[in-house]
Amino acid sequence: MSPAPITIPGPLLMDRAPDDVIAVFDNYYWKDVEDEYPLAEWMAHGPGPRHGRRPRRARSRSTGEDLPLSVIPLAARNNRESRALIAAGKIEPPWRHIRWLVEDGWGDPPCEVLGPRPFDGSVPDPAATDLLTKHVLACAQIPEFEASAPAVVRRLAGERRWEDFETVVRMATAADLADVAPVLCDVLRSDTRPPRLDHIVDALARLMHDEAADLLESLVAQFVYAFDDPPAARHCLRAMARTGPHCRVRLILMSWDPDSWPPPLPEWAVEAMEAVGEHVPPRP
């Protein structure tokens, strides 16, 4: 049976000068307090290091009337849809020019805000890596493969040799070579697009790379909003349930948030949890 269609509300278009729009946000520290910024200021500076911050509603500066979020350009709404489209490279990120405060402990710039990263396929010794790859593809019993598998995978992805890439990733996951997982995450965050993303998702699940929880959740959103591929989104949810506890927590939160995720994503999250024998607790 084909999966039920995912329903995404269409945008409500409205012409409104940015100078007349006030974007309203939840206060970071106080639950019942709202912050307000002129839309032009928000569009110029973006969310900053708290990259998940997004407008909750909008109002007119001149009349005080409530306005739909559609008065804010899609790329600047910083919601799940816009972040998915930015991460997939479907729309331009509005804040790519803003310096990211990595030195303040906020981590690497997320592709959901700055867009896909250029993939770095460089390896220390390309000639030696190519020779090892040739031997690995000819015969799986290569002692050096365990230590060099991440370099081999990176080199193949950089050269977009996807058939060989899938073969080597399959061999690495069968051998439980966990060091390959971060390279696969780099591929998923990058502007290089393998023809089969499900192959990478399954490899991360088999390697139980639970550190990919954020990335896999982002990928689900990309399948929904950017690629219009509900079966792939469902497949990714099932893989997340097998990956580890952090991924399963994401599935629980998704099942608790039917207003944020379009149906039937929350139901599929529950189904994925139940498939691995995990109980979804009631929402507190």
Side-chain angles (χ1 to χ4, degrees):
M1 180 181 297
S2 300
I6 292 175
T7 55
I8 303 172
L12 176 61
L13 300 178
M14 221 178 147
D15 291 328
R16 183 75 61 157
D19 289 342
D20 187 47
V21 177
I22 299 295
V24 182
F25 304 79
D26 291 338
N27 184 276
Y28 186 75
Y29 298 101
W30 304 101
K31 182 177 181 181
D32 298 327
V33 176
E34 292 182 326
D35 296 329
E36 296 186 347
Y37 300 99
L39 177 58
E41 181 179 332
W42 166 254
M43 291 176 64
H45 300 292
R50 297 189 182 100
H51 59 84
R53 202 173 197 214
R54 62 184 184 273
R56 296 296 185 179
R57 58 188 184 88
R59 67 173 180 84
S60 167
R61 180 200 297 268
S62 58
T63 68
E65 66 178 313
D66 289 336
L67 301 174
L69 277 178
S70 56
V71 301
I72 300 175
L74 176 59
R77 292 176 205 165
N78 205 32
N79 58 13
R80 185 166 284 118
E81 178 182 7
S82 67
R83 290 163 69 91
L85 292 169
I86 288 170
K90 296 291 187 178
I91 60 176
E92 286 295 316
W95 302 303
R96 180 173 283 169
H97 64 286
I98 297 175
R99 185 169 174 264
W100 194 259
L101 302 178
V102 176
E103 71 275 11
D104 288 350
W106 293 99
D108 293 333
C111 60
E112 292 86 354
V113 174
L114 301 186
R117 306 171 187 173
F119 183 72
D120 181 8
S122 61
V123 296
D125 191 339
T129 302
D130 289 344
L131 181 60
L132 176 61
T133 302
K134 181 178 179 180
H135 290 317
V136 167
L137 292 171
C139 173
Q141 302 301 321
I142 303 294
E144 298 85 357
F145 178 55
E146 180 173 351
S148 301
V152 171
V153 171
R154 184 174 296 279
R155 176 76 168 161
L156 291 173
E159 294 189 334
R160 290 167 168 76
R161 292 170 53 188
W162 298 124
E163 185 175 348
D164 292 340
F165 172 86
E166 290 188 8
T167 299
V168 170
V169 169
R170 188 162 50 246
M171 294 166 58
T173 54
D176 198 26
L177 302 183
D179 288 346
V180 167
V183 181
L184 299 180
C185 291
D186 285 346
V187 172
L188 290 178
R189 293 189 185 97
S190 75
D191 56 3
T192 183
R193 286 290 171 180
R196 288 191 56 193
L197 296 182
D198 63 320
H199 179 77
I200 300 178
V201 169
D202 288 341
L204 291 173
R206 183 162 182 172
L207 294 171
M208 301 185 72
H209 190 62
D210 205 26
E211 294 85 348
D214 287 345
L215 176 59
L216 292 174
E217 183 180 19
S218 169
L219 196 60
V220 171
Q222 291 178 54
F223 285 136
V224 172
Y225 293 106
F227 302 125
D228 190 23
D229 193 344
R234 194 178 198 179
H235 183 96
C236 193
L237 293 173
R238 290 169 172 169
M240 289 176 68
R242 304 193 308 271
T243 301
H246 289 95
C247 284
R248 289 192 283 273
V249 167
R250 296 306 178 96
L251 294 178
I252 293 173
L253 295 176
M254 188 181 299
S255 72
W256 288 350
D257 197 11
D259 295 331
S260 180
W261 286 93
L265 262 297
E267 292 85 353
W268 287 352
V270 174
E271 171 195 271
M273 291 284 287
E274 292 175 345
V276 296
E278 293 287 342
H279 174 65
V280 177
R283 182 175 180 174

